[in-house]
Amino acid sequence: MSASHAPHATPRATTEGTVYTVTGGDWDEVVQTAAKADDERIVVNMGPQHPSTHGVLRLILEIEGETVTEARCGIGYLHTGIEKNLEFRNWTQGTTFVTRMDYLTSFFNETAYCLGVEKLLGIEDAVPDRATLIRVLLMELNRLSSHLVCIATGGMELGATTIMIYGFRDRELILDAYELITGLRMNHAFIRPGGLAQDLPPGAVDYLRELLKKLRKNLPEYDKLATGNPIFKARMQDVGYLDLTGSMALGATGPILRSAGLPHDLRRSDPYCGYETFDFEVPTADTCDAYGRFLIRLEEMRQSLRIVEQCLDRLEPGPVMVADKKIAWPAQLALGPDGLGNSLDHIKNIMGTSMEALIHHFKLVTEGFRVPPGQAYAAVESPKGELGVHVVSDGGTRPYRVHFRDPSFTNLQAMAAMCEGGQVADVIVAVASIDPVMGGVDR
Amino acid sequence: MGLEEKLPSGFLLTTVEQASGWVRKSSVFPATFGLACCAIEMMTTGAGRYDLARFGMEVFRGSPRQADLMIVAGRVSQKMAPVLRQVYDQMPNPKWVISMGVCASSGGMFNNYAIVQGVDHIVPVDIYLPGCPPRPEMLMDAILKLHQKIQSSKLGVNAEEAAREAEEAALKALPTIEMKGLLQ
Amino acid sequence: MTGDQGSGGRPSGNNVPSAREDTAEPIRVQKGMFGANNGGDTSGYGGLVRTVMLPGASARPYGGPGGSFDEIADELEGALEEQGLVPENAIEKTVVDRDELTFHIAREHLVQVARTLRDDPALRFELCTGVSGVHYPGDKGRELHAVYHLRSLTHSRLIRVEVSAPDADPHVPSLVELYPTNDWHERETYDFFGLIFDGHPALTRIMMPDDWQGFPQRKDYPLGGIAIEYKGAQIPAPDQRRSYS
C-alpha cells in the first residue's frame, strides 16, 4: 500500500477487507490511520501480558466506540502439561504436581486428587478422622486466602489499591499458618493419598485460634471499605450480568452460580470429607452481577471461619495416615539440624529393627503403591466452583490419566456472555468477578 | 539513551559510571510479567508486609516501554515464549531480567513438551532466583543483588573491556563434568 | 484385577455387582512382575503375562445410594424405548464400579441419549462437567474414549457417560448444542487427543499454539522432556528413565 500508513499499523489484504495490525507506536498516527479507513471495526487485543487480566489471559475485543460488540478469550499461555507429567510419576508424587495447577487453591487440588485416588483404592473409610478434619480445616483456610486474593486483585484492577494492600495483609496471616503447618507458603503437597504428610505441629491449634481472632477483627474492614462505597458499587453493580439459565448452560459454578440465586454448593449437595456434619450456610444473591459475587465471597469467608472453628473444636489426637503400611508413605518428618527430613528414630527403626518397615519403605519409595484398574471422579467445592478430578488407573504404580475439571476454565467461558454489549472498562470488572486463575485454566 | 554517546574518557568515565549506576539502581521500574505461582509471591513482595517501596520499586509498570526490569515470575510455555520476547524487545535499554523461580530458570519440575526449559533460551538473564516459589525475602535479596550489579556496571570502553574479561573467564572455567568431589 | 475373576462372577459383597469378563476392556498386557521393561529382570518373574482389564459390564441390581442407579438406568432405558430406540443398541454396557454408574454409549446415539438425560424430568442431568479424553492404545478398535460426567442438581446425582472411537476414525458427535459449557472442553480434548467432535461450532486448538504438530496427551506422544546435567551426571527425562509401572 502507500507510504501514508504508519509503520506500526501495517495494512494487509484479507478476504474480509483490509486489516491493519497495530503493535504500538505513536497513537496519533494510529488514530489517523484508523480514521482513513472506511471500516469502523476495531479489534483490540488485551493481553496475554496486560496488567489487569489476572495473569496471562488474552482477551480479543471487538469494539465500537466504548462498547464491546464481541469478546473472545485466548488461553493456553500457561499450559504446563501437568496432566501428562502426572503419568510419569507415582501416585503419591502426583500431589506435588496438582498443587501447582490452580496455585491459589492448592489444598483443594490436593484434596480432590487424593479423594479420587482413595476412591480408586477403596480406602475412603480408612482415612483417619483427624486427617479428614485437618483437610477440611486447611481447605477452609484456603478458601479464605483465595477469596482474599480475588478481592484484592479485583480491587487493584478497579484502581482501589487500598483494598489490595488489605487483602494481601490478611492473606499473609493465613500464609503464616500454612507455613507453621506444612512448612511452605504455597504449593504444599501436604495432603497425600491416604491422609496427610504429617501431623499438626505442637501449638498449631492455639495459633489457629489466635489467627481466627485476628481475621474476625479484620474481615469487617472490607465491608467498611467497599460494601457501601458508592464508587465501588457503581463499578460493580449490574456489571458482568449472567442469569441462572446462562450459568447452567455454560456450566458456571461457585459464586457465579450462587450470585444467580441457586444455593448449589457441593459441600451441601454432594458432601465429601464429612461436610454434612458441619454447621454453615451457603450464601446466595439474586443480582447476578459482580457486586453480588463480591458479597457472596465476603460472606463465604465468614462461613469458612465458622467451619475452621468447628474443626478446631473437634480435633482429637490420632493418626493422620491410613494404617495400611502398603499405602501409607513411610516418612516421619522431623526438624533436624540440617533442615526438615525423616526423623532419626524412624530411620533407625527402618534400618535397624523392623524388616517389614524396610521392605515397605523400599517398595513405596522406589516403586510406589499399585492402584487397581478403573476410573473414578471426585469433586470438591473450590472457592471458584466445582473442581472435579477424573482419575484412571491401569493397575500400575503411576496414574494412567488424570484430568482436572477446573472451575476457572469452565467459568471463564462465561466471559463473552458477561461482557458483550457492555463497556470496555466493565470487561475488567467482569473478568475479575469470575476470578480465573490461569494456572487452573491452562494446567 | 543519550548518556552512552557523550561519555568522557579516563577517570571521569569512572565517576560517570558510579553516578549513573547509583541513579539507575535507585529507581528501577519493574514490568509486570507475572505468569504463575511466583507472580503471587511477586505481588506479595509489593504489598504491605514486605513493601518493595523501601527500595523504590513498588510501582510495577503495565507497559514494557516504561520499565527497565523484567521479573519473569513463573513457568514460560512454548506459547508464551514469543510474547515474552516481544515484551523484552519493547523495553528500552538499559534493561535487566530476573528469572524468578525454578520454572523460569530451568523448567523446574515441568520437564515436558509445554514448557520452555529456562527463560535464558529466549532472553538474557541477569539473576537466577531458585525456589518454588521463592519467598518474598528471596526476591528482595535477588533485587538487592541486582542493585549491586547495576551499581557496578560499566560504560563505554570499560563495558567492552568487562565483557571481554567475562568471556575469557567463561572460556577458562572448568566444565562441571570435569569437576571432582562434592561440587558444593 | 476384576478381569482376572472367573466368568461366573463372584458373590456380590458390599453391594458391588459382579463383573462379566466378556465385556471387560483389556487396556494393556503386562509382562513380568515389576514393569521394568528396559533392564534385566532378575526377579525370576519375567515370564509372567497378565492382561489388565478395566471393569466390565455389571448385572442388575446396580445398587447405588438408595437404589438410585437402578432408577436412573430404568428411566433412561424407558425413555429411549419411548423414542423408538432399542436401549441395547444405544447403551453398549452399564458399569457400576466403586459406587459410580457409567453408561457406555454408542457414539451415533450419544446426542439423543444426552438429550434424554438432560430433559427427562426423572433424570434431569442439567450440568455437564465437561469432557475428559483418555487414550487406550491397547483397547483395539476403541482407542479414544471421551468421558463425560453429568450432574443432576434436581436429584443430587452424578453419572458418567463414556463413548469411544477408533484411532482410525476419531469422530464423536459434539454436545455443545445441548451443553454449551462443553465448547472449550471439547476443544481441549481435540487439542490433546485429536478426537474430532462433529458439529462443534469452532473446533480449533485451545491450549497449544495453533501450529503445533501432534496431540500431546496421547500415549504415543512422548513427554518431550530433555536430559538434564546435574553436577556432571546426565539425568534422563522422566519418560526415559527405568520405571515400575
Side-chain angles (χ1 to χ4, degrees):
Chain A
M1 298 262 177
S2 69
S4 64
H5 296 295
H8 296 294
T10 45
R12 179 167 54 90
T14 66
T15 49
E16 291 181 35
T18 315
V19 171
Y20 297 87
T21 309
V22 183
T23 55
D26 190 343
W27 274 106
D28 288 340
E29 289 174 20
V30 173
V31 171
Q32 275 171 20
T33 319
K36 270 185 208 146
D38 48 352
D39 195 0
E40 293 284 307
R41 191 174 129 166
I42 296 180
V43 179
V44 174
N45 186 34
M46 262 173 69
Q49 180 47 41
H50 188 270
S52 56
T53 51
H54 264 265
V56 284
L57 170 65
R58 176 178 167 206
L59 298 174
I60 304 142
L61 308 172
E62 191 182 312
I63 55 174
E64 216 180 281
E66 278 289 301
T67 314
V68 178
T69 51
E70 216 172 321
R72 291 289 178 273
C73 281
I75 60 168
Y77 292 94
L78 196 57
H79 175 58
T80 317
I82 293 181
E83 289 170 359
K84 178 100 175 172
N85 253 73
L86 281 170
E87 294 166 14
F88 296 95
R89 303 284 177 167
N90 70 32
W91 290 93
T92 310
Q93 287 172 316
T95 47
T96 331
F97 280 96
V98 298
T99 190
R100 285 162 174 83
M101 284 187 168
D102 184 342
Y103 35 83
L104 289 180
T105 62
S106 27
F107 286 120
F108 291 92
N109 301 346
E110 293 168 26
T111 310
Y113 170 78
C114 291
L115 288 177
V117 178
E118 283 156 13
K119 208 175 203 177
L120 279 178
L121 285 165
I123 55 163
E124 298 112 306
D125 301 330
V127 178
D129 287 345
R130 186 174 168 87
T132 306
L133 270 177
I134 296 174
R135 282 180 184 182
V136 172
L137 187 147
L138 289 171
M139 279 197 286
E140 292 307 322
L141 283 177
N142 202 172
R143 192 181 308 277
L144 274 155
S145 66
S146 167
H147 280 344
L148 283 170
V149 171
C150 171
I151 290 172
T153 55
M156 185 170 65
E157 287 166 2
L158 289 179
T161 329
T162 317
I163 205 163
M164 183 246 175
I165 299 284
Y166 276 42
F168 274 93
R169 175 198 66 187
D170 290 345
R171 181 171 179 271
E172 278 301 312
L173 299 177
I174 299 172
L175 256 57
D176 285 346
Y178 292 166
E179 205 178 338
L180 179 76
I181 295 169
T182 73
L184 294 160
R185 290 160 54 88
M186 294 170 77
N187 300 349
H188 311 274
F190 184 68
I191 296 166
R192 306 275 172 88
L196 306 172
Q198 63 183 121
D199 204 351
L200 292 181
V205 174
D206 295 333
Y207 186 91
L208 288 170
R209 286 199 195 279
E210 279 300 307
L211 172 71
L212 288 187
K213 255 186 232 163
K214 281 185 214 158
L215 288 174
R216 283 241 158 75
K217 184 171 140 280
N218 287 352
L219 277 188
E221 289 181 2
Y222 297 92
D223 269 327
K224 282 184 204 153
L225 194 64
T227 307
N229 186 324
I231 304 173
F232 196 75
K233 278 164 83 171
R235 284 300 305 272
M236 302 272 270
Q237 274 175 338
D238 298 325
V239 170
Y241 187 89
L242 190 70
D243 61 6
L244 185 58
T245 323
S247 300
M248 288 304 299
L250 290 168
T253 45
I256 299 177
L257 184 58
R258 291 194 280 276
S259 76
L262 187 73
H264 172 66
D265 189 320
L266 287 179
R267 293 178 291 173
R268 276 265 180 274
S269 61
D270 189 7
Y272 52 93
C273 288
Y275 266 112
E276 64 275 16
T277 60
F278 286 96
D279 183 25
F280 66 98
E281 274 146 40
V282 179
T284 55
D286 54 2
T287 52
C288 311
D289 62 359
Y291 187 64
R293 285 165 215 144
F294 167 74
L295 293 183
I296 287 174
R297 290 200 173 98
L298 269 188
E299 183 56 35
E300 278 184 14
M301 293 204 286
R302 287 185 209 110
Q303 299 298 332
S304 291
L305 285 182
R306 283 177 66 190
I307 301 176
V308 173
E309 192 151 41
Q310 292 170 47
C311 284
L312 290 178
D313 291 342
R314 287 191 207 175
L315 272 182
E316 283 181 14
V320 291
M321 194 42 135
V322 287
D324 187 350
K325 288 289 178 204
K326 294 197 184 305
I327 293 170
W329 188 253
Q332 280 167 24
L333 301 181
L335 199 61
D338 53 347
L340 193 71
N342 230 336
S343 84
L344 292 174
D345 286 339
H346 186 56
I347 295 173
K348 207 161 141 194
N349 180 38
I350 293 173
M351 302 303 288
T353 40
S354 169
M355 186 69 190
E356 283 75 27
L358 179 63
I359 294 172
H360 289 141
H361 188 278
F362 179 73
K363 289 285 280 181
L364 277 175
V365 173
T366 57
E367 190 179 340
F369 51 81
R370 287 178 187 276
V371 173
Q375 53 184 337
Y377 180 82
V380 300
E381 181 77 23
S382 101
K384 281 130 193 156
E386 174 170 348
L387 173 69
V389 187
H390 177 224
V391 274
V392 184
S393 171
D394 69 342
T397 56
R398 307 188 296 194
Y400 191 73
R401 161 90 173 136
V402 181
H403 175 74
F404 267 64
R405 185 260 186 209
D406 197 277
S408 301
F409 177 73
T410 317
N411 294 354
L412 195 55
Q413 290 186 90
M415 192 279 298
M418 286 181 185
C419 298
E420 285 176 6
Q423 302 237 301
V424 182
D426 292 343
V427 173
I428 307 296
V429 182
V431 172
S433 82
I434 296 174
D435 188 20
V437 172
M438 298 318 285
V441 174
D442 296 341
R443 297 182 300 282
Chain B
M1 176 97 188
L3 184 61
E4 269 88 355
E5 281 92 63
K6 295 177 187 134
L7 286 175
S9 59
F11 75 96
L12 212 54
L13 177 58
T14 325
T15 319
V16 171
E17 267 170 7
Q18 278 171 1
S20 78
W22 179 70
V23 170
R24 280 174 178 173
K25 82 158 196 191
S26 312
S27 71
V28 175
F29 282 81
T32 50
F33 209 87
L35 294 167
C37 338
C38 291
I40 306 292
E41 287 296 61
M42 185 170 76
M43 278 152 72
T44 314
T45 317
R49 183 188 285 187
Y50 298 97
D51 199 9
L52 215 46
R54 290 178 291 165
F55 311 107
M57 286 182 56
E58 80 281 18
V59 186
F60 281 80
R61 302 310 329 193
S63 162
R65 289 169 204 283
Q66 300 161 356
D68 50 11
L69 167 64
M70 182 152 96
I71 303 179
V72 184
R75 47 215 189 215
V76 183
S77 69
Q78 307 279 5
K79 195 171 178 177
M80 194 65 194
V83 182
L84 188 141
R85 179 69 209 195
Q86 188 172 8
V87 169
Y88 179 79
D89 286 342
Q90 285 175 345
M91 283 164 56
N93 269 328
K95 52 193 170 188
W96 298 277
V97 176
I98 291 181
S99 157
M100 180 181 180
V102 279
C103 301
S105 303
S106 73
M109 66 193 295
F110 303 114
N111 190 359
N112 62 17
Y113 64 93
I115 295 295
V116 176
Q117 298 299 307
V119 74
D120 48 7
H121 288 277
I122 313 166
V123 293
V125 175
D126 292 283
I127 303 268
Y128 295 92
L129 172 58
C132 188
R135 301 178 59 92
E137 293 94 332
M138 293 168 73
L139 178 60
M140 283 194 301
D141 181 49
I143 286 171
L144 291 179
K145 291 236 163 65
L146 182 72
H147 281 181
Q148 283 170 16
K149 187 175 173 178
I150 297 172
Q151 169 74 70
S152 61
S153 62
K154 306 278 187 247
L155 289 173
V157 281
N158 289 5
E160 284 165 25
E161 184 63 26
R164 198 160 41 240
E165 274 171 20
E167 194 175 348
E168 272 168 26
L171 285 173
K172 279 183 201 149
L174 191 66
T176 332
I177 198 150
E178 287 169 21
M179 291 183 190
K180 299 279 181 286
L182 287 173
L183 313 185
Q184 275 168 344
Chain C
M1 303 229 174
T2 321
D4 294 341
Q5 303 293 331
S7 56
R10 56 195 162 162
S12 53
N14 61 18
N15 286 334
V16 179
S18 56
R20 294 204 308 260
E21 196 184 337
D22 48 324
T23 56
E25 268 175 77
I27 49 171
R28 81 184 159 97
V29 177
Q30 184 176 336
K31 295 202 171 96
M33 185 72 175
F34 300 105
N37 42 19
N38 51 352
D41 186 348
T42 53
S43 65
Y45 289 98
L48 270 181
V49 178
R50 188 166 63 92
T51 311
V52 179
M53 304 268 202
L54 285 183
S58 310
R60 295 262 188 176
Y62 295 143
S68 59
F69 289 174
D70 287 293
E71 224 171 276
I72 297 169
D74 289 341
E75 283 294 338
L76 178 62
E77 284 168 16
L80 289 180
E81 240 166 282
E82 266 173 41
Q83 298 169 34
L85 192 67
V86 183
E88 286 75 30
N89 290 349
I91 306 173
E92 287 171 348
K93 60 181 170 183
T94 310
V95 181
V96 177
D97 180 45
R98 297 171 168 98
D99 285 335
E100 290 181 341
L101 177 64
T102 309
F103 292 113
H104 288 254
I105 306 292
R107 56 177 167 164
E108 56 271 25
H109 298 296
L110 175 67
V111 176
Q112 196 177 356
V113 171
R115 192 185 300 281
T116 313
L117 284 169
R118 188 190 69 170
D119 293 343
D120 192 285
L123 296 167
R124 282 249 191 279
F125 288 91
E126 308 100 332
L127 188 67
C128 180
T129 67
V131 49
S132 159
V134 191
H135 185 212
Y136 298 104
D139 192 4
K140 292 289 171 234
R142 301 160 51 83
E143 282 94 349
L144 291 162
H145 288 228
V147 185
Y148 304 83
H149 293 93
L150 304 178
R151 192 179 278 287
S152 164
L153 305 190
T154 316
H155 304 292
S156 284
R157 288 168 178 168
L158 182 80
I159 58 164
R160 179 184 297 127
V161 170
E162 196 166 338
V163 286
S164 66
D167 221 354
D169 176 34
H171 287 267
V172 165
S174 165
L175 289 187
V176 173
E177 53 164 332
L178 294 172
Y179 297 106
T181 174
N182 271 14
D183 182 353
W184 283 14
H185 288 274
E186 287 179 2
R187 281 176 66 191
E188 188 192 347
T189 309
Y190 162 72
D191 196 353
F192 289 157
F193 292 93
L195 253 182
I196 297 166
F197 291 89
D198 297 320
H200 189 284
L203 195 68
T204 50
R205 289 199 179 267
I206 187 166
M207 292 297 179
M208 303 310 294
D210 292 337
D211 53 355
W212 195 263
Q213 299 283 322
F215 301 104
Q217 299 208 349
R218 291 167 61 107
K219 290 284 172 188
D220 48 13
Y221 192 99
L223 177 65
I226 53 167
I228 298 163
E229 187 192 316
Y230 181 66
K231 293 189 175 179
Q234 286 275 334
I235 297 161
D239 58 336
Q240 305 296 321
R241 295 176 201 162
R242 183 176 162 167
S243 63
Y244 300 91
S245 78

